[in-house]
């Protein structure tokens, strides 16, 4: 059993995509996504090492429904790497929607990892793009820094947090999900599917009060 209350030099907090577009009022709002911000800020005080991820798409990105004539958000299309859900345009590079929430206060974060910048590949995971081959470089960074346990928080629970958790395990890291510091979108039962997937990889799921 991992002792989650002893947070040390080999632990890192990964804060996934807490950006304006994923919060209420944004282009791809996760219901109550902004509720996690105070919790994540508080958790941030417990960690010396923090990585923020930022969804960061060029205009006309393949994952945008508007890029495909006659398609609408949440349609599923086939692309060379498999199936791709189409989303409303979101987190376009340099826009307000792509900025971190102003109330996210983690000035001591050591790395901001941007993802989704290849026009033809989406990237849910912080480790691999959706073709499952193109690496973001995060594994190498974490290994070089000597981190072996990753605490995951952020948006959306059933997409970017889920895929990041699965890839982190595959890459040999220990994974702890801080569930109340995540919120999901729930497309066609994706939250339930995520819970099953996290059980399958034996990720430790906790609530933030366990880390006080
Ligand atoms: Zn995106």
């Amino acid at each position: 059993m991992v002792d989650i209350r002893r947070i040390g030099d080999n632990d890192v907090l990964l804060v996934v995509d807490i950006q304006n577009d994923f919060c209420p009022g944004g282009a791809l709002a996760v219901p109550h996504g902004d509720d996690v911000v105070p919790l994540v800020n508080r958790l941030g005080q417990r960690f010396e090492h923090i990585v923020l991820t930022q969804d960061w798409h060029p205009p006309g990105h393949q994952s945008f429904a508007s890029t495909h004539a006659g398609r609408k958000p949440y349609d599923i299309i086939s692309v060379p790497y498999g199936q791709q859900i189409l989303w409303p345009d979101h987190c376009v590079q340099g826009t307000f929607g792509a900025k971190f929430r102003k109330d996210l206060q983690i000035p001591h974060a050591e790395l901001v990892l941007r993802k989704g910048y290849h026009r033809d590949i989406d990237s849910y995971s912080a480790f691999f793009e959706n073709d499952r081959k193109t690496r973001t470089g995060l594994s190498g960074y974490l290994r070089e820094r000597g981190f072996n346990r990753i605490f995951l928080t952020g948006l959306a629970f059933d997409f970017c947090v889920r895929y990041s958790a699965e890839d982190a395990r595959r890459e040999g890291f220990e994974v702890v999900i801080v569930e109340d510091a995540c919120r999901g979108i729930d497309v066609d039962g994706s939250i339930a599917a995520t819970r099953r997937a996290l059980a399958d990889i034996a990720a430790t799921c906790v609530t933030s009060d366990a880390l006080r």
Side-chain angles (χ1 to χ4, degrees):
M1 184 66 197
V2 286
D3 183 354
I4 49 163
R5 277 164 307 176
R6 288 189 50 178
I7 293 164
D9 282 347
N10 301 324
D11 293 321
V12 64
L13 180 67
L14 187 64
V15 178
V16 177
D17 295 2
I18 301 191
Q19 294 165 257
N20 291 320
D21 269 345
F22 291 128
C23 290
L28 180 43
V30 177
H32 305 285
D34 53 334
D35 287 359
V36 305
V37 176
L39 273 178
V40 171
N41 286 342
R42 207 175 316 135
L43 277 172
Q45 301 301 314
R46 298 274 282 115
F47 286 80
E48 187 178 345
H49 307 297
I50 303 178
V51 172
L52 310 179
T53 71
Q54 190 172 28
D55 211 31
W56 194 251
H57 299 307
H61 191 251
Q62 174 157 264
S63 76
F64 296 168
S66 66
T67 301
H68 308 271
R71 293 294 187 172
K72 51 186 194 312
Y74 307 103
D75 282 355
I76 295 173
I77 63 165
S78 288
V79 295
Y81 53 79
Q83 306 257 288
Q84 171 70 49
I85 302 181
L86 296 179
W87 306 105
D89 292 23
H90 65 279
C91 298
V92 175
Q93 295 168 358
T95 64
F96 174 79
K99 283 194 161 78
F100 290 118
R101 284 274 305 199
K102 215 162 75 185
D103 50 353
L104 183 70
Q105 292 294 334
I106 309 193
H108 59 298
E110 293 169 340
L111 176 72
V112 173
L113 182 107
R114 289 173 168 171
K115 62 185 178 64
Y117 44 75
H118 289 128
R119 191 178 304 271
D120 295 328
I121 317 177
D122 204 3
S123 191
Y124 296 153
S125 164
F127 294 88
F128 286 91
E129 300 189 359
N130 286 12
D131 63 358
R132 318 304 302 142
K133 288 192 207 100
T134 307
R135 289 178 173 270
T136 64
L138 184 58
S139 291
Y141 172 84
L142 296 177
R143 277 197 206 103
E144 285 192 17
R145 299 279 326 270
F147 302 131
N148 56 26
R149 189 166 59 163
I150 304 171
F151 289 72
L152 275 147
T153 60
L155 309 172
F157 174 70
D158 41 346
F159 285 91
C160 294
V161 173
R162 171 192 174 169
Y163 286 91
S164 297
E166 291 183 308
D167 283 347
R169 287 293 290 153
R170 210 168 289 137
E171 290 290 296
F173 298 100
E174 282 179 51
V175 171
V176 180
I177 311 278
V178 188
E179 275 200 72
D180 55 336
C182 301
R183 289 290 183 283
I185 303 177
D186 210 13
V187 179
D188 290 334
S190 55
I191 288 183
T194 297
R195 291 194 192 289
R196 289 192 297 273
L198 294 176
D200 285 347
I201 61 167
T204 303
C205 294
V206 300
T207 54
S208 55
D209 52 6
L211 299 173
R212 290 240 168 100

